[in-house]
Amino acid sequence: MNNNLDRRRFLSRCGASLALFAAPGAFAEALLQTPRQTPGPFYPDHLPLDTDNDLIIINDNLKPAVGEITYLSGRILDASGNPIRDATVEIWQCDKNGAYLHSGSGNAEKRDPNFQGFGRFLTSSTGEYLFRTIKPVAYPGRAPHIHFAIKMKGRERWTTQCYIKGDPANPKDGIWKSVKDDAQRESITVDFAPLKSARAGELTAHFDLVMGFTPES
Ligand SMILES: [Fe+2]
């Protein structure tokens, strides 16, 4: 008797969740795939000595990078919205003067020697990553952006770029505009907002990346 009752309850719960799944668009927002973007020509041709997730301080230097300090975090998710563990997240961006860690970069003579320019983070079971970096700046021909590369075992490198919500340079940027779908373009354009209780005006930005596949475990 009790067993039957439990079974009926279980089935009705399943029914409820199946109905939710079947509702058109119920998960559309959560599962919107992040568009891929070109890595561009400035992935570091010489990696820095320090490749950790703090781009503001190189090794044990005392002097920090110049720029608006930003805590950049998010999750790497598969096509079903599950967190992806053991993904290597790499970011690279130019410094406050528009110089990349690349021998072909413009403004190389003005490079900020205290900006790491590149960092790595390995996701845990939560799929989360975290970097401390600077708010990206524009350089000739480009709106401010941060490059991302995701590396997973058995897969080719997956790259995209992350932009600043509301930046007036976005609509003039050919690579940003190349994402024709509004929702997809919005998904790579994120708020750089003041971090609550920050004493030195630090910012926070959140960028989730949804892969178009489910990795084999
Ligand atoms: Fe770039």
Side-chain angles (χ1 to χ4, degrees):
M1 183 69 182
N2 278 345
N3 277 349
N4 278 343
L5 190 62
D6 283 344
R7 182 169 158 73
R8 268 203 305 277
R9 278 188 187 143
F10 174 70
L11 286 173
S12 69
R13 277 203 301 273
C14 282
S17 58
L18 283 173
L20 191 60
F21 251 107
F27 294 105
E29 195 173 8
L31 295 179
L32 183 73
Q33 276 174 31
T34 305
R36 294 179 78 153
Q37 293 235 286
T38 172
F42 297 122
Y43 184 87
D45 52 0
H46 296 88
L47 287 183
L49 291 175
D50 184 6
T51 59
D52 73 359
N53 65 330
D54 183 6
L55 284 71
I56 301 300
I57 300 281
I58 297 178
N59 290 327
D60 296 326
N61 287 1
L62 293 176
K63 205 166 169 202
V66 177
E68 289 184 78
I69 293 176
T70 301
Y71 291 89
L72 171 65
S73 64
R75 291 182 303 159
I76 311 301
L77 303 172
D78 70 16
S80 310
N82 301 308
I84 299 180
R85 71 181 301 162
D86 293 334
T88 300
V89 183
E90 295 182 338
I91 64 168
W92 68 103
Q93 65 185 102
C94 65
D95 67 17
K96 188 71 198 301
N97 299 318
Y100 275 101
L101 273 182
H102 191 281
S103 51
S105 175
N107 268 2
E109 68 289 350
K110 290 192 203 153
R111 186 189 313 286
D112 175 1
N114 300 307
F115 184 52
Q116 194 170 293
F118 171 93
R120 277 191 182 128
F121 194 90
L122 185 68
T123 61
S124 64
S125 57
T126 65
E128 287 167 299
Y129 69 84
L130 172 66
F131 293 99
R132 188 168 73 146
T133 187
I134 61 170
K135 185 181 180 185
V137 300
Y139 59 85
R142 291 303 317 275
H145 60 277
I146 297 176
H147 293 270
F148 274 75
I150 313 300
K151 294 176 174 173
M152 286 158 286
K153 210 171 158 197
R155 292 213 162 250
E156 65 169 74
R157 183 174 77 153
W158 186 105
T159 61
T160 194
Q161 302 183 28
C162 168
Y163 299 82
I164 302 170
K165 189 163 277 180
D167 194 285
N170 290 339
K172 298 173 218 148
D173 186 292
I175 300 177
W176 185 78
K177 281 195 294 189
S178 72
V179 182
K180 299 297 179 202
D181 180 83
D182 290 348
Q184 280 205 319
R185 210 170 50 249
E186 284 303 304
S187 76
I188 54 171
T189 312
V190 306
D191 256 330
F192 281 68
L195 180 66
K196 288 193 185 83
S197 78
R199 279 174 296 173
E202 294 98 328
L203 305 173
T204 179
H206 191 89
F207 180 41
D208 285 339
L209 295 91
V210 182
M211 308 288 110
F213 53 83
T214 299
E216 295 158 29
S217 54

